[in-house]
Short mmCIF file of all heavy atoms in Angstrom, two decimals:
data_model
loop_
_atom_site.label_atom_id
_atom_site.label_comp_id
_atom_site.label_asym_id
_atom_site.label_seq_id
_atom_site.Cartn_x
_atom_site.Cartn_y
_atom_site.Cartn_z
N GLY A 237 -89.05 70.24 10.34
CA GLY A 237 -87.71 70.64 10.76
C GLY A 237 -86.82 70.90 9.56
O GLY A 237 -86.11 71.92 9.50
N CYS A 238 -86.85 70.00 8.59
CA CYS A 238 -86.00 70.17 7.40
C CYS A 238 -86.48 71.34 6.55
O CYS A 238 -85.67 72.06 5.98
CB CYS A 238 -85.93 68.88 6.60
SG CYS A 238 -84.78 67.67 7.32
N LEU A 239 -87.79 71.55 6.49
CA LEU A 239 -88.29 72.69 5.70
C LEU A 239 -87.92 74.01 6.37
O LEU A 239 -87.55 74.97 5.69
CB LEU A 239 -89.81 72.58 5.50
CG LEU A 239 -90.24 71.56 4.45
CD1 LEU A 239 -91.75 71.39 4.43
CD2 LEU A 239 -89.74 71.95 3.06
N ASN A 240 -88.00 74.05 7.69
CA ASN A 240 -87.57 75.26 8.40
C ASN A 240 -86.12 75.58 8.11
O ASN A 240 -85.75 76.74 7.92
CB ASN A 240 -87.70 75.05 9.92
CG ASN A 240 -89.06 75.49 10.41
OD1 ASN A 240 -89.61 76.47 9.92
ND2 ASN A 240 -89.61 74.77 11.37
N ARG A 241 -85.34 74.54 8.07
CA ARG A 241 -83.91 74.70 7.87
C ARG A 241 -83.57 75.34 6.52
O ARG A 241 -82.61 76.06 6.39
CB ARG A 241 -83.32 73.30 7.93
CG ARG A 241 -81.91 73.25 8.34
CD ARG A 241 -81.52 71.80 8.28
NE ARG A 241 -80.14 71.77 7.89
CZ ARG A 241 -79.21 71.12 8.54
NH1 ARG A 241 -79.51 70.43 9.60
NH2 ARG A 241 -77.98 71.13 8.10
N VAL A 242 -84.37 75.02 5.52
CA VAL A 242 -84.11 75.61 4.20
C VAL A 242 -84.92 76.90 4.02
O VAL A 242 -85.01 77.45 2.94
CB VAL A 242 -84.38 74.62 3.04
CG1 VAL A 242 -83.59 73.37 3.24
CG2 VAL A 242 -85.85 74.31 2.88
N ARG A 243 -85.50 77.36 5.15
CA ARG A 243 -86.28 78.59 5.19
C ARG A 243 -87.47 78.55 4.23
O ARG A 243 -87.72 79.48 3.47
CB ARG A 243 -85.39 79.81 4.94
CG ARG A 243 -84.27 79.90 5.97
CD ARG A 243 -83.38 81.10 5.76
NE ARG A 243 -82.12 80.95 6.49
CZ ARG A 243 -81.05 81.71 6.30
NH1 ARG A 243 -81.06 82.68 5.42
NH2 ARG A 243 -79.95 81.50 6.98
N ALA A 244 -88.14 77.42 4.27
CA ALA A 244 -89.41 77.27 3.55
C ALA A 244 -90.50 77.21 4.62
O ALA A 244 -90.23 76.82 5.75
CB ALA A 244 -89.43 76.00 2.73
N LYS A 245 -91.73 77.57 4.25
CA LYS A 245 -92.81 77.53 5.23
C LYS A 245 -93.28 76.08 5.36
O LYS A 245 -93.71 75.49 4.38
CB LYS A 245 -93.97 78.42 4.74
CG LYS A 245 -94.97 78.71 5.81
CD LYS A 245 -95.95 79.81 5.33
CE LYS A 245 -97.00 80.11 6.38
NZ LYS A 245 -98.11 79.16 6.37
N PRO A 246 -93.17 75.52 6.57
CA PRO A 246 -93.61 74.13 6.72
C PRO A 246 -95.13 74.02 6.60
O PRO A 246 -95.84 75.00 6.80
CB PRO A 246 -93.16 73.74 8.12
CG PRO A 246 -92.48 74.90 8.71
CD PRO A 246 -92.68 76.09 7.83
N PHE A 247 -95.60 72.83 6.27
CA PHE A 247 -97.04 72.57 6.24
C PHE A 247 -97.47 72.13 7.63
O PHE A 247 -96.65 71.84 8.49
CB PHE A 247 -97.36 71.47 5.23
CG PHE A 247 -96.98 71.83 3.83
CD1 PHE A 247 -95.78 71.38 3.28
CD2 PHE A 247 -97.81 72.63 3.05
CE1 PHE A 247 -95.42 71.71 1.97
CE2 PHE A 247 -97.45 72.96 1.75
CZ PHE A 247 -96.26 72.50 1.22
N LYS A 248 -98.79 72.05 7.83
CA LYS A 248 -99.31 71.54 9.10
C LYS A 248 -99.19 70.03 9.12
O LYS A 248 -99.40 69.38 8.09
CB LYS A 248 -100.78 71.94 9.24
CG LYS A 248 -100.98 73.40 9.55
CD LYS A 248 -102.25 73.59 10.40
CE LYS A 248 -102.41 75.01 10.85
NZ LYS A 248 -103.39 75.75 10.05
N ALA A 249 -98.87 69.48 10.28
CA ALA A 249 -98.78 68.02 10.42
C ALA A 249 -100.09 67.40 9.95
O ALA A 249 -101.17 67.91 10.23
CB ALA A 249 -98.51 67.65 11.88
N GLN A 250 -99.97 66.30 9.24
CA GLN A 250 -101.11 65.51 8.74
C GLN A 250 -101.90 66.19 7.63
O GLN A 250 -102.96 65.71 7.25
CB GLN A 250 -102.07 65.10 9.88
CG GLN A 250 -101.39 64.25 10.96
CD GLN A 250 -100.77 62.99 10.40
OE1 GLN A 250 -101.22 62.44 9.40
NE2 GLN A 250 -99.70 62.51 11.04
N ASN A 251 -101.40 67.26 7.05
CA ASN A 251 -102.14 67.79 5.90
C ASN A 251 -101.77 66.96 4.66
O ASN A 251 -100.88 66.09 4.71
CB ASN A 251 -101.94 69.30 5.73
CG ASN A 251 -100.70 69.62 4.93
OD1 ASN A 251 -99.85 68.74 4.73
ND2 ASN A 251 -100.58 70.84 4.48
N ALA A 252 -102.45 67.22 3.56
CA ALA A 252 -102.31 66.33 2.39
C ALA A 252 -100.88 66.30 1.86
O ALA A 252 -100.37 65.23 1.49
CB ALA A 252 -103.29 66.78 1.30
N GLU A 253 -100.19 67.45 1.85
CA GLU A 253 -98.82 67.47 1.32
C GLU A 253 -97.92 66.48 2.04
O GLU A 253 -97.18 65.72 1.43
CB GLU A 253 -98.21 68.88 1.45
CG GLU A 253 -98.51 69.80 0.30
CD GLU A 253 -99.84 70.51 0.45
OE1 GLU A 253 -100.55 70.24 1.46
OE2 GLU A 253 -100.19 71.32 -0.42
N TYR A 254 -97.98 66.51 3.37
CA TYR A 254 -97.12 65.61 4.15
C TYR A 254 -97.55 64.15 4.03
O TYR A 254 -96.71 63.26 4.01
CB TYR A 254 -97.15 66.01 5.63
CG TYR A 254 -96.29 67.19 5.98
CD1 TYR A 254 -96.42 67.79 7.23
CD2 TYR A 254 -95.32 67.68 5.12
CE1 TYR A 254 -95.63 68.88 7.59
CE2 TYR A 254 -94.53 68.77 5.47
CZ TYR A 254 -94.69 69.37 6.70
OH TYR A 254 -93.92 70.43 7.06
N ARG A 255 -98.86 63.93 3.96
CA ARG A 255 -99.31 62.53 3.85
C ARG A 255 -98.88 61.96 2.50
O ARG A 255 -98.44 60.81 2.41
CB ARG A 255 -100.83 62.44 4.04
CG ARG A 255 -101.21 62.52 5.52
CD ARG A 255 -102.69 62.36 5.76
NE ARG A 255 -103.43 63.57 5.44
CZ ARG A 255 -104.37 63.66 4.49
NH1 ARG A 255 -104.71 62.58 3.79
NH2 ARG A 255 -104.98 64.80 4.28
N ASN A 256 -98.96 62.78 1.46
CA ASN A 256 -98.52 62.31 0.14
C ASN A 256 -97.01 62.09 0.13
O ASN A 256 -96.51 61.13 -0.48
CB ASN A 256 -98.92 63.30 -0.95
CG ASN A 256 -100.42 63.38 -1.12
OD1 ASN A 256 -101.14 62.46 -0.74
ND2 ASN A 256 -100.91 64.49 -1.67
N LEU A 257 -96.29 62.97 0.80
CA LEU A 257 -94.84 62.83 0.91
C LEU A 257 -94.49 61.53 1.64
O LEU A 257 -93.62 60.77 1.22
CB LEU A 257 -94.29 64.04 1.66
CG LEU A 257 -92.78 64.22 1.76
CD1 LEU A 257 -92.14 64.33 0.39
CD2 LEU A 257 -92.43 65.47 2.58
N GLU A 258 -95.21 61.29 2.73
CA GLU A 258 -94.98 60.06 3.49
C GLU A 258 -95.29 58.83 2.64
O GLU A 258 -94.59 57.81 2.71
CB GLU A 258 -95.85 60.06 4.77
CG GLU A 258 -95.69 58.81 5.62
CD GLU A 258 -96.47 58.85 6.93
OE1 GLU A 258 -96.86 59.94 7.39
OE2 GLU A 258 -96.68 57.76 7.50
N TYR A 259 -96.31 58.94 1.81
CA TYR A 259 -96.71 57.84 0.90
C TYR A 259 -95.56 57.52 -0.06
O TYR A 259 -95.14 56.38 -0.19
CB TYR A 259 -97.94 58.30 0.12
CG TYR A 259 -98.77 57.22 -0.56
CD1 TYR A 259 -99.02 56.00 0.06
CD2 TYR A 259 -99.34 57.47 -1.82
CE1 TYR A 259 -99.82 55.05 -0.57
CE2 TYR A 259 -100.14 56.53 -2.44
CZ TYR A 259 -100.38 55.32 -1.81
OH TYR A 259 -101.17 54.40 -2.44
N PHE A 260 -95.04 58.57 -0.69
CA PHE A 260 -93.91 58.38 -1.62
C PHE A 260 -92.70 57.80 -0.89
O PHE A 260 -92.09 56.82 -1.32
CB PHE A 260 -93.54 59.72 -2.28
CG PHE A 260 -92.20 59.70 -2.98
CD1 PHE A 260 -92.07 59.06 -4.21
CD2 PHE A 260 -91.08 60.27 -2.39
CE1 PHE A 260 -90.84 59.02 -4.85
CE2 PHE A 260 -89.84 60.24 -3.03
CZ PHE A 260 -89.72 59.60 -4.26
N MET A 261 -92.34 58.41 0.25
CA MET A 261 -91.13 58.00 0.96
C MET A 261 -91.24 56.58 1.50
O MET A 261 -90.25 55.85 1.55
CB MET A 261 -90.83 58.98 2.10
CG MET A 261 -90.35 60.35 1.60
SD MET A 261 -90.21 61.57 2.92
CE MET A 261 -88.86 60.93 3.90
N THR A 262 -92.44 56.21 1.93
CA THR A 262 -92.60 54.87 2.48
C THR A 262 -92.61 53.84 1.36
O THR A 262 -92.03 52.76 1.50
CB THR A 262 -93.89 54.77 3.33
OG1 THR A 262 -93.96 55.91 4.19
CG2 THR A 262 -93.88 53.51 4.17
N PHE A 263 -93.20 54.20 0.22
CA PHE A 263 -93.14 53.29 -0.93
C PHE A 263 -91.68 53.05 -1.32
O PHE A 263 -91.28 51.93 -1.62
CB PHE A 263 -93.93 53.88 -2.11
CG PHE A 263 -94.00 52.94 -3.29
CD1 PHE A 263 -94.87 51.86 -3.29
CD2 PHE A 263 -93.16 53.10 -4.39
CE1 PHE A 263 -94.91 50.98 -4.36
CE2 PHE A 263 -93.20 52.23 -5.46
CZ PHE A 263 -94.08 51.17 -5.45
N MET A 264 -90.87 54.10 -1.28
CA MET A 264 -89.44 53.98 -1.60
C MET A 264 -88.71 53.13 -0.56
O MET A 264 -87.56 52.74 -0.78
CB MET A 264 -88.78 55.37 -1.68
CG MET A 264 -89.19 56.16 -2.89
SD MET A 264 -88.62 55.38 -4.41
CE MET A 264 -90.06 55.62 -5.44
#
Side-chain angles (χ1 to χ4, degrees):
Chain A
C238 281
L239 284 173
N240 269 324
R241 206 182 146 128
V242 305
R243 301 180 196 167
K245 194 169 179 279
F247 298 98
K248 286 211 174 102
Q250 301 302 332
N251 86 345
E253 273 85 358
Y254 281 168
R255 282 183 283 118
N256 294 338
L257 187 59
E258 180 176 341
Y259 198 40
F260 166 75
M261 290 172 67
T262 314
F263 184 77
M264 288 295 139

